[in-house]
């Protein structure tokens, strides 16, 4: 059997109990290593799972999948995915990552994955807003639209910041993974009260943040 196992977005302990049981009994365990990132490395996973992991890069997953599937009809093989295996990640970021490659003697050499930050997403959205105005269109989103930036949700060092789209261009949320939420329509007073806990000071690019949920 080939098992697809989601690891969550935090650390080694986010795996389910059933998932951990499967990992410990499989003959081979692959760790998908290009569409997303955990807050811990491969070594921390191996220590917690009590077994070695085989890192599967983009080329192996997309071009050499037969290696992963080999003997899965007569033994158990696990394929570990950051986040939800059926909603495959770049998530944790609403805006994902790019992964470019160059060719070297007929072999694809992939650059390290790059994950889009809230700052980059906000800057690109502002460019779209400006271009719409140039074309005489009225943008649905403006520089003053309320947004929420999130980073490493569920991890001990998670960050949350609420402010305008303009403020999201400079707020410091640290390392990936990032998410950017753009609010729409009317916001309930209770929602506004909660967002006020994470509001970005008017004269600062720094956000207030909390640890934990």
């Amino acid at each position: 059997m080939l098992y697809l196992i989601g690891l969550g977005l935090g650390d080694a302990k986010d795996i389910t109990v059933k998932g951990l049981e499967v990992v410990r009994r499989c003959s081979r365990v692959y760790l998908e290593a290009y569409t997303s990132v955990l807050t811990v490395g491969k070594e921390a996973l191996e220590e917690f799972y009590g077994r070695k992991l085989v890192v599967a890069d983009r080329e192996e997953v997309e071009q050499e999948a037969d290696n992963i599937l080999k003997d899965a009809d007569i033994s158990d093989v696990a394929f570990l995915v950051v986040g939800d295996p059926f909603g495959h990640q770049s998530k944790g970021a609403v805006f994902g990552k790019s992964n470019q490659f160059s060719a070297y003697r007929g072999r694809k050499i992939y650059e390290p994955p790059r994950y889009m930050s809230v700052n980059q997403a906000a800057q690109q959205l502002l460019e779209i807003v400006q271009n719409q105005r140039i074309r005489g269109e009225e943008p649905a989103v403006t520089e003053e639209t309320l947004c929420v930036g999130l980073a490493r949700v569920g991890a001990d060092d998670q960050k949350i910041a609420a402010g305008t789209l303009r403020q999201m261009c400079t707020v410091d949320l640290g390392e990936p993974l990032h998410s950017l939420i753009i609010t729409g329509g009317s916001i309930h007073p209770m929602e506004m009260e909660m967002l006020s806990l994470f509001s970005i000071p008017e004269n600062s690019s720094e956000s207030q943040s909390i640890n934990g949920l």
Side-chain angles (χ1 to χ4, degrees):
M1 177 72 71
L2 174 67
Y3 292 91
L4 302 179
I5 302 175
L7 302 183
L9 293 173
D11 57 26
K13 296 180 180 179
D14 278 357
I15 191 172
T16 64
V17 174
K18 286 185 178 180
L20 183 58
E21 290 174 347
V22 171
V23 166
R24 287 177 173 169
R25 73 168 185 259
C26 280
S27 60
R28 300 194 313 279
V29 181
Y30 293 90
L31 174 63
E32 190 275 327
Y34 74 91
T35 59
S36 195
V37 62
L38 284 173
T39 60
V40 296
K42 169 176 170 282
E43 294 75 16
L45 297 179
E46 290 179 329
E47 181 178 358
F48 184 71
Y49 300 161
R51 63 164 308 144
K52 292 291 185 181
L53 305 180
V54 179
V55 174
D57 60 18
R58 180 172 186 172
E59 185 162 5
E60 181 162 15
V61 174
E62 295 183 353
Q63 307 296 330
E64 302 171 5
D66 287 346
N67 293 337
I68 297 173
L69 296 173
K70 184 180 180 181
D71 296 332
D73 58 334
I74 58 175
S75 63
D76 289 334
V77 177
F79 187 74
L80 309 184
V81 174
V82 178
D84 181 348
F86 295 109
H88 207 354
Q89 292 254 109
S90 15
K91 185 170 113 178
V94 173
F95 293 87
K97 60 139 192 84
S98 61
N99 200 319
Q100 299 178 343
F101 68 88
S102 57
Y104 178 71
R105 293 183 179 177
R107 180 169 172 264
K108 294 179 180 178
I109 307 297
Y110 291 94
E111 296 179 0
R114 295 178 293 172
Y115 300 92
M116 183 176 282
S117 68
V118 162
N119 304 144
Q120 293 169 323
Q123 289 163 4
Q124 290 188 17
L125 286 171
L126 285 184
E127 290 179 9
I128 293 172
V129 169
Q130 293 166 0
N131 288 336
Q132 286 179 317
R133 290 200 178 109
I134 291 174
R135 295 194 300 266
E137 302 172 3
E138 185 62 32
V141 174
T142 73
E143 294 85 350
E144 303 306 314
T145 296
L146 178 62
C147 300
V148 184
L150 306 99
R152 302 171 305 284
V153 175
D156 291 338
D157 64 343
Q158 77 169 20
K159 284 191 174 183
I160 303 173
T164 65
L165 182 59
R166 190 195 308 276
Q167 288 176 309
M168 289 295 156
C169 291
T170 55
V171 66
D172 181 11
L173 295 179
E175 296 298 312
L177 296 168
H178 288 192
S179 295
L180 177 63
I181 299 171
I182 302 170
T183 63
S186 60
I187 300 175
H188 192 278
M190 291 183 66
E191 293 175 321
M192 287 301 299
E193 183 178 356
M194 176 58 71
L195 290 178
S196 69
L197 298 175
F198 311 109
S199 61
I200 303 172
E202 289 293 332
N203 59 349
S204 171
S205 63
E206 298 296 322
S207 71
Q208 298 176 0
S209 64
I210 62 168
N211 291 328
L213 290 174

